[in-house]
Amino acid sequence: MEQDDFEPMRKHNVYYPFSDRAEWELAKFLCDNLNQGQITRFLKLLWWPLSFKTTKQLFTFMDTLPKVPQWRCTPMHTDGYATTHPVNLIWRDALEVVHHIFGNPIFANHMEYDPYEINNNGEHEYREWMSCEHAFKIQDKLPIGATIVPIILASDKTPATRHTDSLEMHPMFLTIGNIHSEIRMKATLHAWECIAYIPSLEYITNSDYAGLLEARLLLFLQRFWHSCMDMVFEKLKIASHMGEFMVDPMGCQRYAFTPLITHVFDPWKFREFQEAAKKVSLSGIHKPFWRDWKFADPAVFLIPEILHTGHKFFFDHILKWCKEVIGANELDARFRSQHKRVGTRHFTDGVSHINQMTGREHHNIQHTLVPTIVGVTSPGFTRAVCALIYFIYKAQAPTFTDSSINSMSDSLSEFHTYKHFILEAQARTGTSGPIAHFRIPKLELFNSFARSICKSGAIIQYSADVSERLLITHCKTPFQRTSHQRATFTQQVVNIIHRQDVMRQFDFYALLCQQGISLVNVMDDEFDEVVDMDLTFSWIVRVVPQEMQCFQAIRPVRNHFLKGLLSDEANAAFHVTIAHDLADRSATALAQLYHLPNFPHILSQYLDGVSGRNSPFHSRLLKVWFKFRLQLHSRLRPCNIMPSQQVQAIPPSNNYPYGYCDVVLLQPTATAPCIAQVRMVFTLSTRGSQLPVQLKDPFLYVQLFEVTALPEAEPHIAMYRVRCSFYTAPDGSRTRIGKIVRLVDVTHAVELIPIYGTTLDRSVTSVTSLERYDDFYLNSFSDKEWYHTLHADYI
């Protein structure tokens, strides 16, 4: 910043070339939200005097702001093949981009520079890349004192248009492995940079020779892609051999080497390329871009990728096997009937009709598939499916030890032991009928997971979820603000992206100058508890909170541990609103409203136990909420705070004939979990004499479930089986057993899936499924956090 040509001007006016902060904010708004035509029309309005009068002048002003790594446009040769449009590679020098990312002070608290080893109960722990075998192997070959700056690449292609004309974009993204994975895994934290847009080639061919040229053109496309990569990474590859001096986020100079450690990509026309190469007696690309990149080994940097290898495999194969056995209508009906929880995806229309889904939707189906198919599929079939989902869940852990890697591999071995049940059910089918083998490339890739974790760390950190999101922010969204012209749309997208990067950098720089603060000097001030927050915004919240409203960022997860109710061990936080949904109601009136005839008697017994029989609190009115929020620390990353979960306890009504009440886990009294359905959230009114401490906090009226079978009793599903707890009256009538507990006795929000049997009662809906069935499975797959908690504490 200090080397910028206009820095002397900014000594007097921080926002130069804009007249003041207000004009800068307006200019930023126009560039962020309007296209050129809209900006032109806006500036023609009768407005107060502005320093810029036209769109061109506004963009000129933006071009004078301190620079980020510059984009370039290079004409590319097509070896005599005629194309419909000129071919230009739009790119940035990858080494300049690495300098920019490595020296960004925002990442100062989230960087690693040297390999290290973590010992967990006598076992090596694999986490970040720096904690793994490959990092030590490279460090041993570098000069003493050298720093590894590991390069991570991601590439993909995406259609820029939806229904008109086939315009495609092929971006390449880059980040560095020094930045902690939980920062790199969030596209909104700007740890990734786009470094190139590979041009899409369209050839002019004579139809008489189209078949002959097709194979050669496909081969040339692959060679062309690698030659583009050679140009982009030329200096970065030199740095991997010779080293490069780089300034880290704290301003210290380091002698850095830049090995390629990961390339995440979705194979593009891979099968077609193999066939074309075979026709001309080639086994592959003869000059891959990594050939002269020191330490680059395809056997290492081509990491198994969980989105396409895991979740996409689930959708393409496991889900289809289940459809074949159960039937699409029955499977859809079961998904529709499951209890809908706030914050989780509910498939109101079923799952069989959807041809294309996102990775998140694949994962959401995984949450409930196993207990959903029980009763129709054979135990062996269920066990094979369950083993694969176990494998996918275990593979997504952020840390591993040798034991957990073996456990993951055991789940894969268990699938192979029971997979013949899938073939016996003729669930694996193709266009010609049943398929009698499991020769599936993605299934074969599962065997490489364990090796990759030992060499390169947890594979979840290399998921393509980030690059899929970057395709939206760097291709599809900016494309909507272009002229949609084939010859120029990529350059227009680049201009928009570049301008956004410059504005984001200058916005923060201007704030620092205006406040007279040095970013580096305060970056060692960290939160003890981490919430999901934009790094720049988190710094603003701590240092200059009055500026929060002036910056656009994803707002952080609300931390209820700061002001909410805490459990006895302070490992859970609870939040209820200040305003009650119902106020000053008697216990009898609430019993009628909620259809809970035993509530007054149970409340009286509870008050007797706390304040004695003659307590004045028996007649105290009650205040009621229809929901509360529960917040926990992450089991996988204990320093992180999870987003809060909403737990509902809605009374009966026309829409909810039995009420609408979620299920929770209470503080256990034995080794088995204590499961209850929340029927009412209430507290005693503060009107009258002062309440004792034991009666001040909110309470829950819950109805209990009893565990009827442990996971080992049904190894094909390995879940707790539970049943509603009933009290049988002398006249033979049954009543659910109720209990009053403190709100802070809740430990988790959980999910119960009905045990459907062979056929679902089609009159059951998501509103009534928890009331119409008595027997359930405690779903261990409801989310990754609960999966690991349940298996660590109860199984």
Side-chain angles (χ1 to χ4, degrees), residues 276-323:
K278 200 176 294 184
K279 289 179 182 178
V280 291
S281 303
L282 285 178
S283 59
I285 295 295
H286 67 294
K287 288 186 177 180
F289 76 90
W290 62 79
R291 67 192 181 282
D292 51 351
W293 199 326
K294 192 174 183 182
F295 306 119
D297 181 355
V300 176
F301 71 68
L302 295 179
I303 303 287
E305 193 279 303
I306 198 68
L307 177 63
H308 294 103
T309 308
H311 299 320
K312 192 69 165 61
F313 171 84
F314 167 84
F315 179 73
D316 290 342
H317 299 283
I318 301 176
L319 183 60
K320 288 184 179 179
W321 302 339
C322 296
K323 286 181 190 176

Side-chain angles (χ1 to χ4, degrees), residues 554-664:
I554 295 177
R555 289 308 189 249
V557 171
R558 185 174 179 183
N559 187 351
H560 294 299
F561 282 89
L562 298 178
K563 294 183 179 180
L565 298 169
L566 298 182
S567 63
D568 293 340
E569 297 177 355
N571 55 8
F574 304 86
H575 172 74
V576 289
T577 57
I578 295 175
H580 305 83
D581 294 298
L582 299 172
D584 297 334
R585 302 293 179 97
S586 67
T588 304
L590 291 175
Q592 293 175 348
L593 176 65
Y594 280 83
H595 301 176
L596 301 171
N598 291 339
F599 173 67
H601 175 65
I602 294 174
L603 176 61
S604 179
Q605 286 184 324
Y606 186 87
L607 294 175
D608 288 345
V610 173
S611 56
R613 276 186 181 277
N614 299 320
S615 165
F617 306 119
H618 284 71
S619 59
R620 188 65 64 91
L621 296 177
L622 306 177
K623 298 181 178 181
V624 176
W625 295 273
F626 293 163
K627 59 183 178 291
F628 69 89
R629 286 193 170 275
L630 166 67
Q631 189 169 50
L632 304 170
H633 284 272
S634 169
R635 186 64 182 246
L636 298 172
R637 302 180 186 270
C639 291
N640 288 18
I641 294 174
M642 300 296 296
S644 61
Q645 295 173 280
Q646 183 172 298
V647 179
Q648 300 181 100
I650 299 173
S653 64
N654 291 335
N655 293 330
Y656 306 115
Y658 302 101
Y660 202 78
C661 303
D662 294 333
V663 182
V664 297

Side-chain angles (χ1 to χ4, degrees), residues 689-756:
S689 56
Q690 185 174 2
L691 294 170
V693 175
Q694 303 95 312
L695 297 179
K696 285 186 176 180
D697 290 337
F699 296 92
L700 305 178
Y701 180 75
V702 300
Q703 291 178 334
L704 301 176
F705 296 86
E706 57 183 313
V707 175
T708 58
L710 299 177
E712 50 267 29
E714 298 180 89
H716 62 286
I717 188 170
M719 292 184 185
Y720 282 97
R721 187 170 182 152
V722 302
R723 177 179 297 159
C724 298
S725 295
F726 287 98
Y727 164 74
T728 304
D731 61 359
S733 61
R734 296 194 313 167
T735 305
R736 291 279 299 271
I737 295 176
K739 181 182 180 181
I740 289 177
V741 297
R742 300 179 305 160
L743 173 63
V744 295
D745 287 335
V746 174
T747 62
H748 292 85
V750 298
E751 181 177 43
L752 297 183
I753 304 296
I755 299 178
Y756 295 108

Side-chain angles (χ1 to χ4, degrees), residues 77-81 83 201 203 214-227 273 285:
H77 300 291
T78 55
D79 291 357
Y81 295 105
T83 59
L201 304 184
Y203 297 101
E214 186 176 354
R216 292 185 178 276
L217 289 175
L218 189 56
L219 289 171
F220 173 73
L221 279 174
Q222 301 297 328
R223 293 201 304 270
F224 177 79
W225 188 89
H226 283 269
S227 65
F273 169 73
I285 295 295

Side-chain angles (χ1 to χ4, degrees), residues 273-557:
F273 169 73
Q274 283 185 317
E275 293 174 357
K278 200 176 294 184
K279 289 179 182 178
V280 291
S281 303
L282 285 178
S283 59
I285 295 295
H286 67 294
K287 288 186 177 180
F289 76 90
W290 62 79
R291 67 192 181 282
D292 51 351
W293 199 326
K294 192 174 183 182
F295 306 119
D297 181 355
V300 176
F301 71 68
L302 295 179
I303 303 287
E305 193 279 303
I306 198 68
L307 177 63
H308 294 103
T309 308
H311 299 320
K312 192 69 165 61
F313 171 84
F314 167 84
F315 179 73
D316 290 342
H317 299 283
I318 301 176
L319 183 60
K320 288 184 179 179
W321 302 339
C322 296
K323 286 181 190 176
E324 288 292 329
V325 175
I326 298 176
N329 290 335
E330 179 70 16
L331 186 64
D332 287 342
R334 294 185 177 212
F335 270 96
R336 285 195 299 266
S337 72
Q338 290 163 4
H339 182 75
K340 187 188 303 183
R341 299 190 299 156
V342 174
T344 60
R345 171 69 188 271
H346 183 264
F347 293 91
T348 307
D349 299 321
V351 297
S352 65
H353 67 287
I354 305 175
N355 295 322
Q356 188 171 7
M357 293 185 180
T358 64
R360 181 180 293 275
E361 289 169 322
H362 297 159
H363 200 184
N364 288 332
I365 298 175
Q366 291 170 35
H367 289 172
T368 56
L369 182 67
V370 172
T372 299
I373 65 175
V374 173
V376 181
T377 58
S378 68
F381 182 100
T382 306
R383 189 160 186 174
V385 169
C386 188
L388 275 181
I389 296 180
Y390 269 132
F391 176 84
I392 294 172
Y393 267 62
K394 291 174 182 178
Q396 295 175 74
T399 59
F400 286 87
T401 61
D402 292 328
S403 296
S404 62
I405 293 174
N406 290 337
S407 174
M408 179 185 71
S409 299
D410 289 343
S411 294
L412 185 59
S413 298
E414 185 178 0
F415 163 75
H416 287 296
T417 301
Y418 290 92
K419 65 184 180 184
H420 65 276
F421 286 100
I422 297 174
L423 299 181
E424 291 171 7
Q426 296 188 336
R428 180 156 156 70
T429 60
T431 55
S432 303
I435 299 175
H437 62 78
F438 280 96
R439 291 193 288 273
I440 306 172
K442 287 180 180 177
L443 181 60
E444 183 68 24
L445 278 175
F446 286 170
N447 294 314
S448 65
F449 276 34
R451 177 181 59 82
S452 290
I453 291 168
C454 294
K455 287 186 175 295
S456 302
I459 58 175
I460 187 65
Q461 65 182 307
Y462 307 115
S463 172
D465 289 283
V466 180
S467 59
E468 294 287 338
R469 176 61 187 169
L470 291 171
L471 289 177
I472 297 174
T473 59
H474 287 69
C475 296
K476 295 182 179 180
T477 300
F479 176 79
Q480 300 306 315
R481 293 165 54 193
T482 69
S483 63
H484 297 196
Q485 298 298 313
R486 181 181 296 274
T488 61
F489 80 92
T490 303
Q491 183 62 59
Q492 293 176 52
V493 166
V494 167
N495 290 338
I496 293 169
I497 296 299
H498 181 72
R499 208 171 289 127
Q500 288 174 344
D501 291 343
V502 168
M503 289 191 299
R504 184 173 59 250
Q505 176 180 272
F506 182 72
D507 212 13
F508 195 41
Y509 161 79
L511 175 63
L512 293 173
C513 293
Q514 194 174 48
Q515 299 291 332
I517 301 172
S518 171
L519 180 61
V520 173
N521 292 338
V522 296
M523 282 311 294
D524 58 353
D525 208 14
E526 289 190 275
F527 286 120
D528 292 329
E529 294 176 314
V530 180
V531 294
D532 191 0
M533 185 187 297
D534 182 277
L535 297 180
T536 304
F537 190 74
S538 71
W539 183 91
I540 293 171
V541 169
R542 283 179 287 142
V543 181
V544 280
Q546 67 274 15
E547 298 287 344
M548 286 171 51
Q549 300 303 320
C550 299
F551 281 80
Q552 290 185 355
I554 295 177
R555 289 308 189 249
V557 171

Side-chain angles (χ1 to χ4, degrees), residues 672-690:
C674 181
I675 304 160
Q677 188 175 16
V678 180
R679 287 295 180 182
M680 190 190 306
V681 187
F682 68 94
T683 188
L684 275 65
S685 173
T686 54
R687 295 180 184 177
S689 56
Q690 185 174 2

Side-chain angles (χ1 to χ4, degrees), residues 3-58:
Q3 299 175 357
D4 185 68
D5 295 339
F6 298 97
E7 183 60 23
M9 303 291 189
R10 296 193 178 99
K11 300 286 185 185
H12 308 287
N13 174 17
V14 172
Y15 294 96
Y16 182 86
F18 301 97
S19 59
D20 54 25
R21 182 172 184 173
E23 188 173 275
W24 158 245
E25 294 286 351
L26 175 62
K28 185 175 61 170
F29 173 84
L30 295 176
C31 291
D32 270 340
N33 297 281
L34 306 181
N35 60 33
Q36 294 189 36
Q38 292 168 332
I39 295 173
T40 299
R41 289 195 296 273
F42 179 86
L43 293 177
K44 287 181 179 179
L45 297 173
L46 294 176
W47 203 247
W48 64 74
L50 295 173
S51 302
F52 51 92
K53 308 298 183 184
T54 64
T55 304
K56 183 177 180 181
Q57 196 173 11
L58 170 61

